[in-house]
Amino acid sequence: MKVGVLALQGAVAEHIRSIERAGAEGVAVKLPEQLSELDGLIIPGGESTTIGKLMRKYGFIEAIRAFAAQGHPVFGTCAGLIVMAKEIGGGEEPHLALMDIQVSRNAFGRQRESFETDLDVKGLTQPLRAVFIRAPLITAVGDQVDVLSTYKEEIVTARQGHLLVSSFHPELTDECSLHAYFLEMIKSKAGAV
């Protein structure tokens, strides 16, 4: 199984490490053509506006939409969540608009308000250590979206079919349970074909 990490910005090496610890091959994705070799894709954190501009510049918008439309699982973390959302608070134009969620950028405040906490995530057997850095929040979800975890009654992890998002950075801890969950999504997709 080969999982790509969009390598335009963010903790690419850390995601690849987590993918490999969870039992799959991780690759940095720098060209849209690489998507044809992948079973799944992770869109990491960074700055969502910058990621969106770079995705447009290098031809990733339509390529990732087509990849997702073929049923390939896509996982967005932090800014990757914003990039996948159909609606962004504050009037910012959506980027991929893949997932029926509304998001609020930097909902937890500035860099100095960053924190770590343990979260109970639906589908995981043990609490997950979550690192929040200038994290967005999911402020509304569509009927097809399953809320997987909340923090102080705010939605921070969600799934819609083969799409997964988290407000936090699961790649910045030593555990890989959310990456393993994503690999299970890929396996179940492969088994359904």
Side-chain angles (χ1 to χ4, degrees):
M1 191 179 338
K2 189 183 285 190
V3 179
V5 180
L6 188 63
L8 299 178
Q9 197 183 53
V12 176
E14 290 84 350
H15 271 295
I16 289 172
R17 184 198 70 207
S18 295
I19 291 164
E20 291 175 348
R21 290 178 72 195
E25 179 185 353
V27 295
V29 176
K30 298 180 180 181
L31 301 168
E33 304 83 75
Q34 290 177 269
L35 294 173
S36 65
E37 306 163 9
L38 303 177
D39 300 299
L41 178 69
I42 294 176
I43 302 172
E47 205 288 311
S48 61
T49 305
T50 302
I51 293 170
K53 285 178 182 173
L54 292 170
M55 287 172 64
R56 285 175 178 84
K57 180 177 180 178
Y58 295 109
F60 275 107
I61 296 286
E62 291 309 319
I64 293 173
R65 284 180 180 157
F67 181 80
Q70 293 164 3
H72 294 292
V74 181
F75 178 15
T77 64
C78 197
L81 173 154
I82 297 168
V83 168
M84 289 176 63
K86 282 194 176 168
E87 190 175 341
I88 303 169
E92 182 180 336
E93 182 185 340
H95 303 286
L96 292 169
L98 292 175
M99 198 162 167
D100 192 10
I101 56 174
Q102 180 180 18
V103 299
S104 173
R105 296 176 62 197
N106 301 330
F108 287 106
R110 297 192 176 289
Q111 194 85 15
R112 67 177 175 269
E113 279 95 40
S114 300
F115 64 96
E116 291 185 32
T117 190
D118 290 325
L119 289 177
D120 289 321
V121 179
K122 186 175 167 184
L124 300 184
T125 56
Q126 296 189 8
L128 172 74
R129 192 71 180 163
V131 179
F132 289 82
I133 303 172
R134 293 178 57 222
L137 264 181
I138 301 169
T139 54
V141 298
D143 294 341
Q144 303 300 311
V145 178
D146 190 14
V147 173
L148 301 183
S149 72
T150 59
Y151 174 75
K152 294 188 176 179
E153 300 182 16
E154 303 279 10
I155 303 167
V156 295
T157 317
R159 177 178 177 178
Q160 180 180 333
H162 62 291
L163 306 172
L164 178 67
V165 290
S166 69
S167 297
F168 51 89
H169 292 270
E171 78 282 7
L172 297 182
T173 67
D174 288 335
E175 63 174 286
C176 59
S177 57
L178 199 57
H179 288 81
Y181 178 94
F182 183 59
L183 296 187
E184 287 302 318
M185 289 172 57
I186 295 170
K187 286 178 190 168
S188 63
K189 183 264 176 196
V193 174

